[in-house]
């Protein structure tokens, strides 16, 4: 469902007909929508997406150097699809504008929509995140023999002479050693935590281009379905 930019207060949608396989259901949904794009704009939009269908992920990955805006202009896509579709997709996928978002992100999402009949389905939690997501995830880890440690902030990533990780040093002074280390820290924090040996490596220098995006999520719970 999209809000109509030129018609405040009005909405339009792409309706998928049950029983029609992907990608035909996606194409038909676009053609059936008469409010968002003209037929000419739809025809202009289709050709750049054909290589994605034929070549798949290699083509998608190759677009990583192009922003959404650059990709559109390279392939002659109509400017209005940016205003009507890609701005909303960029905000939904990464909270930024299309001129700053890699086209690989958008194509990855679109490729799923085009290749999976149920790719556009969405689901919402039937309860709080701690109860319905975080709690069950922690229980699963513990049942598999792992442990979930809370309130144990990291002070430093300690490396060996060759740059590999020796251990994590916690603020409490405790050392944590593991076979594999995975970080889910926000980009601004992980930049500050990078070991000195890593900061000159080309792989990690790419992080200089990344910027954190301040985001606030507001969860509103209602006592009945909205009509």
């Amino acid at each position: 469902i999209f809000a109509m930019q030129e018609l405040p207060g009005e909405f339009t949608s792409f309706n998928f007909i049950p029983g029609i396989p992907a990608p035909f259901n996606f194409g038909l949904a676009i053609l059936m929508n008469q409010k968002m794009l003209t037929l000419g704009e739809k025809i202009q939009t289709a050709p750049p997406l054909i290589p994605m269908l034929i070549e798949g992920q290699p083509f998608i990955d190759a677009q990583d150097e192009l922003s959404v805006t650059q990709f559109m202009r390279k392939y002659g896509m109509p400017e209005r699809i940016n205003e009507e579709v890609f701005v909303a997709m960029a905000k939904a996928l990464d909270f930024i504008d299309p001129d700053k978002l890699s086209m690989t992100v958008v194509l990855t999402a679109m490729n799923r929509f085009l290749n999976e009949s149920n790719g556009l389905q969405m689901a919402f939690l039937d309860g709080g995140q701690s109860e319905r997501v975080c709690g069950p995830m922690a229980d699963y880890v513990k049942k598999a023999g792992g442990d979930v440690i809370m309130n144990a902030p990291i002070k430093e990533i300690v490396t060996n002479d060759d740059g590999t990780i020796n251990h994590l040093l916690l603020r409490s002074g405790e050392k944590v050693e593991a076979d594999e280390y995975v970080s889910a820290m926000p980009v601004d924090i992980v930049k500050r935590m990078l070991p000195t040996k890593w900061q000159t490596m080309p792989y990690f220098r790419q992080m200089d281009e990344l910027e954190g995006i301040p985001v606030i999520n507001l969860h509103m719970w209602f006592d009945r379905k909205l009509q």
Side-chain angles (χ1 to χ4, degrees):
I1 300 175
F2 289 81
M4 299 293 291
Q5 186 176 359
E6 298 174 1
L7 300 170
E10 291 195 24
F11 297 86
T12 186
S13 62
F14 294 102
N15 299 313
F16 287 70
I17 299 176
I20 298 179
F24 303 107
N25 61 345
F26 188 76
L28 185 59
I30 292 174
L31 289 173
M32 288 173 59
N33 182 292
Q34 302 297 318
K35 290 185 177 181
M36 184 164 283
L37 299 171
T38 66
L39 179 60
E41 289 170 332
K42 293 172 184 176
I43 293 173
Q44 279 182 276
T45 302
L49 303 181
I50 293 175
M52 177 184 70
L53 291 172
I54 297 174
E55 300 177 35
Q57 199 62 40
F59 175 81
I60 294 171
D61 293 341
Q63 312 313 308
D64 193 38
E65 297 299 321
L66 296 177
S67 70
V68 177
T69 306
Q70 290 170 330
F71 180 90
M72 283 179 49
R73 290 172 181 164
K74 177 181 177 180
Y75 287 95
M77 299 175 78
E79 201 66 36
R80 206 160 74 90
I81 194 173
N82 183 57
E83 300 167 2
E84 298 286 3
V85 178
F86 285 147
V87 168
M89 287 190 70
K91 297 291 187 183
L93 291 169
D94 216 6
F95 306 102
I96 54 178
D97 293 321
D99 61 337
K100 296 185 178 72
L101 178 65
S102 165
M103 191 61 186
T104 293
V105 176
V106 173
L107 289 178
T108 299
M110 294 184 73
N111 192 43
R112 180 172 181 180
F113 301 159
L114 287 167
N115 286 290
E116 299 180 21
S117 297
N118 297 323
L120 279 167
Q121 284 190 346
M122 298 177 65
F124 295 90
L125 297 176
D126 58 349
Q129 289 191 18
S130 57
E131 173 192 354
R132 303 299 293 159
V133 178
C134 303
M137 288 173 65
D139 293 341
Y140 179 84
V141 170
K142 292 175 182 177
K143 286 179 182 178
D147 197 6
V148 178
I149 303 172
M150 308 293 291
N151 301 314
I154 293 175
K155 179 181 180 181
E156 182 184 357
I157 301 172
V158 181
T159 60
N160 299 308
D161 291 338
D162 61 357
T164 57
I165 298 178
N166 183 282
H167 63 272
L168 302 180
L169 178 63
L170 305 185
R171 289 183 191 170
S172 63
E174 181 184 354
K175 296 180 181 180
V176 177
E177 298 181 4
D179 296 324
E180 304 286 344
Y181 300 85
V182 179
S183 170
M185 290 184 281
V187 64
D188 293 330
I189 296 176
V190 78
K191 279 183 178 181
R192 295 199 298 268
M193 294 294 298
L194 276 184
T196 304
K197 287 183 179 294
W198 293 3
Q199 293 175 7
T200 56
M201 295 181 181
Y203 180 83
F204 291 104
R205 286 298 301 272
Q206 297 179 86
M207 295 180 66
D208 293 343
E209 305 299 322
L210 299 178
E211 296 181 8
I213 303 170
V215 176
I216 296 176
N217 290 317
L218 178 63
H219 296 265
M220 301 180 67
W221 296 84
F222 299 93
D223 61 356
R224 62 181 64 87
K225 268 191 175 183
L226 300 180
Q227 300 297 324

